[in-house]
């Protein structure tokens, strides 16, 4: 039972355009969400997070949107750059209890930014 | 910057061997984690620790154990390595709950 789903295994975008990566979750207890970027042969790097009290969080070219009613979040990268080409993982955790230590990850979306 | 260091980038072992993967973090983080990453499966949590000598099972603990004798160090132990444990292993640490986890660069372990 996959609680965090990234339904697009891959995405190709032209340099300078917007990249939109999507993530859906099923566990209504999740209320903290993160995006990570991973290059080959490196560990995941934390990009941006959002808690359920907000519906948007921005950090430079990266914006995460959260739609709690739809149990959906998205990561927007504007403008996309070739260096953004990587695998992007969505992750989620509940806020309270022992489970709040634990992140549940999606399977990842491979983003390719074409020069 | 948080630094999470995994002792080996690549490791080759034989079935039945006892294998130790070591991880050290330099930010005095309370929480440390071990994941494995397999193609098409994403990152799956094996074990985590929220304090010295404390551990909790993750989603796939079978065949693994862990040790946390010092705050900065978290070891993953494969008691008797099997070929289905060939994988990329990632260690992470976090300052607390509801905090981003910071990852090491991973150990690619091959069991022959």
């Amino acid at each position: 039972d996959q609680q965090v789903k990234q339904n697009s295994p891959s995405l190709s975008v032209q340099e300078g355009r917007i990249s939109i990566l999507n993530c859906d979750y099923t566990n209504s207890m999740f209320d903290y969400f993160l995006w990570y970027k991973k290059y080959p042969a490196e560990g995941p790097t934390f990009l941006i997070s959002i808690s359920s009290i907000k519906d948007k969080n921005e950090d430079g070219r990266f914006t995460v949107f959260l739609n709690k009613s739809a149990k959906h979040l998205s990561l927007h990268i504007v403008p996309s750059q070739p260096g953004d080409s990587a695998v992007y993982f969505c992750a989620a955790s509940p806020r309270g209890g022992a489970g709040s230590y634990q992140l549940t990850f999606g399977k990842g979306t491979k983003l390719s930014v074409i020069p | 910057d948080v630094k999470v260091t995994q002792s080996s980038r690549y490791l080759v072992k034989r079935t039945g061997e006892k294998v130790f993967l070591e991880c050290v973090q330099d930010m005095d983080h309370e929480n440390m984690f071990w994941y494995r990453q397999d193609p098409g499966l994403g990152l799956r949590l094996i074990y985590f620790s929220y304090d010295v000598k404390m551990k909790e099972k993750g989603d796939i603990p079978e065949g693994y154990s862990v040790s946390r004798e010092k705050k900065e160090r978290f070891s993953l132990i494969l008691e008797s390595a099997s070929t289905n444990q060939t994988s990329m292993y990632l260690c992470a640490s976090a300052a607390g709950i509801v905090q981003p986890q910071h990852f090491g660069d991973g150990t690619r372990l091959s069991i022959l």
Side-chain angles (χ1 to χ4, degrees):
Chain A
D1 177 30
Q2 208 180 334
Q3 298 186 66
V4 177
K5 300 179 185 178
Q6 294 177 256
N7 291 318
S8 299
S10 63
L11 176 68
S12 289
V13 172
Q14 287 290 134
E15 180 179 3
R17 306 294 288 268
I18 184 171
S19 295
I20 300 175
L21 296 102
N22 294 301
C23 180
D24 297 294
Y25 61 97
T26 58
N27 189 339
S28 57
M29 297 299 291
F30 287 153
D31 66 357
Y32 178 59
F33 304 90
L34 308 90
W35 284 95
Y36 284 83
K37 176 171 73 173
K38 187 181 184 301
Y39 294 119
E42 293 184 14
T45 302
F46 168 69
L47 269 179
I48 192 168
S49 64
I50 188 167
S51 71
S52 60
I53 60 174
K54 301 173 83 170
D55 54 19
K56 177 182 173 181
N57 189 25
E58 283 183 83
D59 185 0
R61 295 185 299 115
F62 302 93
T63 303
V64 56
F65 294 92
L66 176 63
N67 182 334
K68 291 184 288 294
S69 60
K71 294 190 175 68
H72 177 83
L73 64 155
S74 60
L75 175 69
H76 293 209
I77 306 172
V78 183
S80 302
Q81 300 173 353
D84 296 330
S85 297
V87 177
Y88 289 78
F89 291 98
C90 169
S93 78
R95 182 166 291 274
S100 56
Y101 292 105
Q102 189 166 338
L103 290 180
T104 300
F105 284 84
K107 294 183 178 181
T109 297
K110 184 176 182 180
L111 173 66
S112 300
V113 180
I114 303 159
Chain B
D1 268 1
V2 177
K3 182 74 172 171
V4 178
T5 304
Q6 295 183 230
S7 55
S8 305
R9 292 300 301 272
Y10 301 93
L11 207 53
V12 180
K13 297 290 183 180
R14 301 227 172 255
T15 55
E17 282 193 69
K18 190 169 186 177
V19 181
F20 293 85
L21 302 183
E22 306 288 343
C23 175
V24 176
Q25 51 96 2
D26 67 355
M27 285 301 292
D28 203 35
H29 283 171
E30 302 288 335
N31 307 307
M32 296 187 74
F33 308 82
W34 275 106
Y35 294 86
R36 62 179 282 177
Q37 183 191 6
D38 299 290
L41 296 177
L43 279 76
R44 294 180 294 166
L45 182 65
I46 304 171
Y47 265 98
F48 68 98
S49 168
Y50 51 90
D51 202 351
V52 174
K53 296 190 187 295
M54 306 304 288
K55 61 186 179 184
E56 291 284 343
K57 293 180 180 179
D59 298 321
I60 50 165
E62 297 78 18
Y64 303 94
S65 62
V66 290
S67 172
R68 189 150 180 221
E69 297 296 320
K70 293 185 177 181
K71 193 175 186 180
E72 67 271 18
R73 186 179 298 270
F74 192 33
S75 303
L76 179 70
I77 304 155
L78 286 67
E79 297 290 344
S80 178
S82 64
T83 54
N84 63 10
Q85 292 178 310
T86 291
S87 186
M88 169 69 84
Y89 289 87
L90 291 157
C91 175
S93 73
I97 61 173
V98 200
Q99 293 290 328
Q101 294 179 18
H102 299 272
F103 285 82
D105 282 337
T107 296
R108 184 161 293 283
L109 175 64
S110 297
I111 307 296
L112 304 179

